[in-house]
């Protein structure tokens, strides 16, 4: 009756354009957006260095963080988990939407963790919380051997073995749960 997806939102618009352009992401499951954080939908205005800062990872080119990620985004979220109600045994609808507002040059991205569609709660591998109720947090959890984003600034590497991110690009689809 519930599905989970793990994803990361990133943008070139961090931090210079926060509260000026608001690139936003929505992850609809059966018409309900599950890509939300305190304050509204996932966007550069709801995840940044002052709003929900625990969900934000700096990736600035100008003053790189201790663990920069080799992508264009100047900032990104930690792994976020979309939790959505579904109807078992019937067709359910999935729709991903991203809006790059007001400018033609600064892009935003959404990365979905490979194999993260699940009916059991996953562990987000860098949010400092035990998401799957096994008493293990982040890289201490066996499910975090490879992660979508590196651990918080000052921690070591990407994943437990320096694994590169595993990404799956999805834009829309339907699925049936039996």
């Amino acid at each position: 009756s519930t599905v989970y997806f793990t994803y990361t939102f990133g943008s070139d618009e961090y931090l210079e354009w926060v509260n000026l352009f608001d690139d936003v992401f929505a992850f609809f499951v059966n018409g309900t957006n599950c890509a939300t954080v305190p304050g509204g939908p996932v966007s550069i205005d709801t995840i940044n260095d002052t709003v929900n800062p625990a969900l934000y990872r700096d990736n600035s080119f100008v003053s790189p963080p201790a663990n920069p990620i080799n992508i264009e985004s100047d900032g990104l979220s930690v792994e976020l988990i979309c939790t959505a109600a579904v109807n078992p045994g019937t067709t359910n609808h999935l729709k991903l939407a991203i809006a790059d507002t007001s400018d033609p040059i600064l892009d935003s991205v959404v990365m979905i963790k490979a194999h993260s569609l699940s009916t059991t709660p996953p562990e987000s591998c860098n949010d400092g919380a035990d998401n799957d109720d096994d008493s293990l947090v982040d890289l201490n959890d066996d499910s975090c051997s490879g992660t979508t984003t590196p651990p918080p600034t000052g921690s070591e590497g990407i994943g437990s073995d320096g694994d590169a991110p595993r990404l799956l690009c999805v834009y829309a689809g339907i699925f049936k749960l039996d």
Side-chain angles (χ1 to χ4, degrees):
S1 61
T2 305
V3 294
Y4 304 90
F5 300 88
T6 304
Y7 67 97
T8 301
F9 172 80
S11 181
D12 288 345
E13 296 189 352
Y14 284 117
L15 285 167
E16 307 90 333
W17 305 105
V18 170
N19 294 320
L20 295 171
F21 301 139
D22 191 16
D23 288 7
V24 63
F25 170 62
F27 199 137
F28 296 100
V29 178
N30 295 326
T32 301
N33 182 15
C34 61
T36 60
V37 294
V42 169
S43 75
I44 67 168
D45 284 354
T46 60
I47 299 174
N48 56 61
D49 64 337
T50 58
V51 178
N52 293 311
L55 302 179
Y56 176 69
R57 294 285 177 260
D58 182 34
N59 201 49
S60 171
F61 176 76
V62 176
S63 57
N67 292 318
I69 303 166
N70 190 19
I71 61 174
E72 184 69 25
S73 297
D74 290 339
L76 61 157
S77 71
V78 298
E79 288 183 358
L80 300 171
I81 299 170
C82 167
T83 303
V86 292
N87 303 306
T90 64
T91 299
N92 291 269
H93 296 271
L94 168 70
K95 179 179 177 181
L96 287 77
I98 188 165
D100 186 21
T101 59
S102 305
D103 69 272
I105 58 170
L106 299 172
D107 299 320
S108 290
V109 298
V110 174
M111 299 167 277
I112 299 175
K113 189 172 188 176
H115 312 292
S116 70
L117 171 61
S118 177
T119 56
T120 58
E123 178 69 24
S124 173
C125 297
N126 60 12
D127 66 352
D130 176 21
N131 310 102
D132 59 2
D133 296 325
D134 65 358
S135 301
L136 301 171
V137 176
D138 295 348
L139 295 179
N140 291 323
D141 195 302
D142 291 339
S143 65
C144 292
S145 63
T147 68
T148 312
T149 60
T153 300
S155 299
E156 296 178 5
I158 298 176
S160 62
D161 298 317
D163 299 334
R166 297 176 304 167
L167 303 177
L168 171 68
C169 297
V170 175
Y171 64 94
I174 58 174
F175 59 96
K176 181 177 179 181
L177 296 175
D178 293 318

